Amino acid sequence: MRLTTSMKILAAVAVAGGLGAAETASARQTSAAEAGLRLATFKCDATPPLGDTLIWTVKLESVADPLMLKGVVLEAGKQRYVLCALDWCLLCNDSERSFRETLARAAGTEPSCVAVHCVHQHVAPYADEGAHRLLDGASGKPPHLSQTFLDGLRARMGEAVAEAVKRLEPFDRIGCGTAVVERVASQRRLKAADGKIVSRVSETGKTPELAALPEGDVDPVLRTVTFARGEKVLARLHYYATHPQTHSCDGSVSADFVGAAREAREREEKVFQIYFTGCAGNVTVGKYNDSSLSAREALTQHLLSGLRAAAAASRFSPADRFVWRTEELVLPVRTDDDFVQQCRKNLDNPRAASGARVFKGAMRLASVARAKRPFRLTSLRIGDARIVLLPGEPMLEFQKFAQGRCPDRFVAVAGYGDCGTSYICTDRMFTEGGYEPTATNLAPGAEPVLKDAIQRLLER
């Protein structure tokens, strides 16, 4: 069900209008300055304190490397936008909304002009404060990320954005670059000889028979969007689809191999780098990862090579059009009686495992509670770049669908916005079986609704 469509456009010489096909190249080249396009980068540390709660209720014991919130503030005319990536596993429902509201206040804009996406590392936190309230009311109070830390982080990231607004600087060119990444991504949902789905999860490289299978259906292309003023590069945004996970639930926090590659590239290029995970619900590094340090280092180097190559291959165009579109969709959240009753049983059973009480109880009930509140999709078109920003943990099919709508254009896709959906499966997956359709908070029927919205976001 489509509720609303809002579109904000700042383009061409007339700030409130659009460029016609007959307008000249010189007009397009000067439009960025006339539209007042400016940019500033920001970051803040998003690492919880020792002893706080991570994914699956694991307690934080050590920090391998810090978790970061990294983003850009974009200004077009008098309107500001915020686009950022957070080194966390999940940000859901009330927490995702509160993060956007915090960033919007700091930037002097509206929450609809803010997009926050998780990178989805599995040695990192998740947050869903509606679920946290349910846990606090349950017997034994199963653990969750602390409110003190969340409130402090919101204050810090607001300060980081407010400081960034003070140093906005013009940009006038957009670069689009692509590179094939070797020996990183591999298909997660594999079909056995009997037709059943077998999961090649992120750490199954240690299983020889699974590691020996082909990569399968992946998108091997990393896409990079570069903001520049003349020859000066100001920031790069990278998009690639795979689970960013080499280890999990071991008591450490880390930005994992994707964070290591991102920060290595920033150090060597001395340009601000942001990494977004694409539609990776059914894509992992399972073929190439056996949880060893050597495997993690190899994945880091392969991804780093892709970051370098995509930057080197970038082709620049004038930042001659700025279009920010949002779609708000009510997706079919599962609210059937059996599902809801089982969630309550999980939450209320003090003998159940804490992880089940959290994920199969409170977090699912928090999504049921917002069943009529829409999820948000966003697209940004600027210069020759098109960026699509999706909620939840979408399957790769949605990324390929978006790119197929504009086969002759550069289209980068990020998933892991509001993850109240959990997985976003294709309808076919519900008949095939496997893990993902059992772990989603959505009912069948989300696929056509989401694809229709993606198509609208990419309208020329």
Side-chain angles (χ1 to χ4, degrees), residues 116 123 210 310 343 405:
V116 183
V123 273
L210 290 177
C343 291
R405 296 310 91 195

Side-chain angles (χ1 to χ4, degrees), residues 56 120 122 184-192 196-204 210 213-218 241-245 279-287 393-397 416 422-423 429 433-439:
W56 289 113
H120 197 54
H122 283 50
V184 174
S186 59
Q187 187 175 356
R188 173 171 170 166
R189 289 170 56 86
L190 303 170
K191 276 195 176 180
K196 292 183 178 179
I197 298 296
V198 176
S199 292
R200 181 167 58 187
V201 296
S202 293
E203 300 174 48
T204 48
L210 290 177
L213 294 173
E215 280 188 351
D217 186 21
V218 301
T242 191
H243 264 64
Q245 174 191 354
C279 297
N282 51 346
V283 184
T284 73
V285 294
K287 179 175 174 62
E393 185 165 3
M395 300 297 124
L396 181 66
E397 284 82 350
Y416 301 93
S422 186
Y423 291 104
M429 289 177 180
Y435 168 67
E436 294 82 1
T438 70

Side-chain angles (χ1 to χ4, degrees), residues 125-146:
Y126 62 84
D128 184 337
E129 284 156 280
H132 297 176
R133 289 189 289 273
L134 291 172
L135 292 168
D136 289 341
S139 62
K141 293 189 175 182
H144 59 74
L145 196 64
S146 69

